[in-house]
Amino acid sequence: MTKIQRVQKILSGLLMLACSILLIAEPELGLYVVALILGVSMLLSGLRSLFFYFTMARHMVGGKATLYQGIIILDLAVFTLSMVDDPHFFIMLYLLVIHAFSGVMEILHALEAKRYGASAWRRSLAAGVVNLLVAVGAVVAVVFLHSTTDLVYLYAACLFYSACVQFVSAFQKTAIVYIQ
């Protein structure tokens, strides 16, 4: 990882930490802030995927998947930003889908890593279980408790966790593979 990438990870971690503190300090405005954060982050991710497609991926095998991914994420971002007036259902749905999918993928990755004898399979399994618990927590907060404040606190906790992961990965030594 280059020094510029480390600085980018630290800055994104600081931004996530600031948003998390803002959500905890102002939970009444939290759903609108969460909808705005989700919309803007998906908008940037979609634009980045499209930029990557038009600069490099169109010449690669499977590059059209990057184009389709960028278009779908960009479309979801525009939809989220247009529905910011009533964000309760959409934020719960996004938290549920994103965390459930990434949780299942992390658990499957951990089981595969365990099968191959990798040492970091426990960390992947723990991350997958945490993601599934966040998805269940989002459903419980909105459907059963009817509490949007708990949903805001859950999202703030997820942002805080993501900020911590960014800080750890920024200061972690990277392995350099030499081909001889």
Side-chain angles (χ1 to χ4, degrees), residues 118-133:
S119 61
W121 69 271
R122 288 181 183 93
R123 188 179 329 152
S124 293
L125 183 67
V129 170
V130 167
N131 276 327
L132 284 177
L133 288 176

Side-chain angles (χ1 to χ4, degrees), residues 56-170:
M56 289 184 68
R58 65 182 171 165
H59 303 294
M60 297 167 44
V61 174
K64 283 189 180 178
T66 305
L67 174 67
Y68 299 145
Q69 177 185 3
I71 290 172
I72 290 170
I73 291 174
L74 196 63
D75 191 34
L76 283 173
V78 170
F79 179 70
T80 302
L81 290 173
S82 68
M83 299 300 282
V84 87
D85 293 335
D86 188 29
H88 302 90
F89 177 72
F90 295 108
I91 291 175
M92 188 273 304
L93 187 66
Y94 283 140
L95 284 176
L96 173 72
V97 170
I98 290 170
H99 285 286
F101 180 74
S102 63
V104 168
M105 293 306 293
E106 284 286 334
I107 289 172
L108 291 175
H109 179 67
L111 294 176
E112 181 183 17
K114 181 182 179 186
R115 198 171 334 134
Y116 288 124
S119 61
W121 69 271
R122 288 181 183 93
R123 188 179 329 152
S124 293
L125 183 67
V129 170
V130 167
N131 276 327
L132 284 177
L133 288 176
V134 167
V136 170
V139 171
V140 168
V142 173
V143 174
F144 296 116
L145 298 178
H146 301 291
S147 173
T148 57
T149 307
D150 291 339
L151 188 63
V152 171
Y153 288 144
L154 181 67
Y155 188 74
C158 291
L159 274 179
F160 180 77
Y161 173 74
S162 296
C164 292
V165 168
Q166 291 288 330
F167 290 141
V168 167
S169 66

